[in-house]
Amino acid sequence: MAYTYATLTTTIRDYTEVDDSVFTQAVIDNFIMQAEHRINIELPMDSDRFVQEGTLSTDNNTINSPAGALFIRGVEVFNSTANTTGSGTWLEKKDQTYLTEYLDRLTGPGGFGTSATAVTGKPKYYAMFGGATGSTDTTSGAMYFAPTPDQSYKFRVYYNKMAVGLGSGGDGN
């Protein structure tokens, strides 16, 4: 049996034995959205995998995560400034504090606090930051690279995106 938004809402209210004066539409929508989010995090499906290509800018060590990214699977950087053909280099995912310590070690004694853009080269690491709160590229969090790109490298970001859900009356189509 395929569940629509209406049948799911009715089933939830019937099961909990609570009517719509308590289990309001807003509460039901939040309940469904949280369940869908947990399912997508714990049971990611191949149908929700996406790839975004772009170019890292010289002397800029951050980019926005792809719009609607649920989580990043990996980042691949290419030696080319023009295309993403051939094999690229997979970046290692690290914590942002690791990247800061890595850059501080490269700047030498007294380098603590030195601008991250002072160390340039082909990126080896990336870290997530910014707290994703939405479905646009400016609200899906961001990635920080180390070392800072010394030229405009092409890249690919492999990620999972949240599937269209049933919340707010949508039937997932």
Side-chain angles (χ1 to χ4, degrees), residues 97-107 119 124-125 146-147:
T97 56
Y98 179 93
L99 270 57
T100 301
E101 291 173 10
Y102 167 78
L103 294 171
D104 285 344
R105 282 193 310 270
L106 292 177
T107 57
V119 179
K124 295 179 182 180
Y125 307 105

Side-chain angles (χ1 to χ4, degrees), residues 105-166:
R105 282 193 310 270
L106 292 177
T107 57
F112 186 72
T114 302
S115 171
T117 58
V119 179
T120 62
K122 185 176 179 184
K124 295 179 182 180
Y125 307 105
Y126 76 99
M128 304 302 299
F129 74 96
T133 60
S135 59
T136 66
D137 67 341
T138 58
T139 61
S140 290
M143 287 176 269
Y144 173 48
F145 297 96
T148 298
D150 59 347
Q151 64 183 28
S152 299
Y153 295 100
K154 295 297 279 184
F155 71 89
R156 284 186 185 149
V157 175
Y158 298 82
Y159 65 102
N160 271 51
K161 192 172 184 177
M162 186 74 172
V164 176
L166 293 174

Side-chain angles (χ1 to χ4, degrees), residues 14-119:
D14 289 348
Y15 180 79
T16 59
E17 299 177 354
V18 177
D19 66 14
D20 63 353
S21 65
V22 176
F23 218 160
T24 64
Q25 218 50 54
V27 172
I28 288 269
D29 287 347
N30 190 43
F31 181 87
I32 292 170
M33 183 188 70
Q34 293 297 327
E36 290 170 337
H37 186 264
R38 182 165 179 188
I39 289 166
N40 280 301
I41 289 286
E42 293 186 17
L43 303 169
M45 293 182 257
D46 290 343
S47 61
D48 298 329
R49 289 183 182 207
F50 293 87
V51 178
Q52 179 175 306
E53 294 186 1
T55 304
L56 297 174
S57 300
T58 304
D59 295 330
N60 184 1
N61 63 355
T62 62
I63 62 168
N64 290 332
S65 294
L70 188 59
F71 59 88
I72 304 299
R73 291 185 162 279
V75 179
E76 186 178 22
V77 174
F78 297 84
N79 285 328
S80 175
T81 60
N83 58 55
T84 56
T85 57
S87 61
T89 303
W90 289 95
L91 303 186
E92 286 186 52
K93 184 177 182 179
K94 297 289 186 178
D95 185 81
Q96 193 171 354
T97 56
Y98 179 93
L99 270 57
T100 301
E101 291 173 10
Y102 167 78
L103 294 171
D104 285 344
R105 282 193 310 270
L106 292 177
T107 57
F112 186 72
T114 302
S115 171
T117 58
V119 179

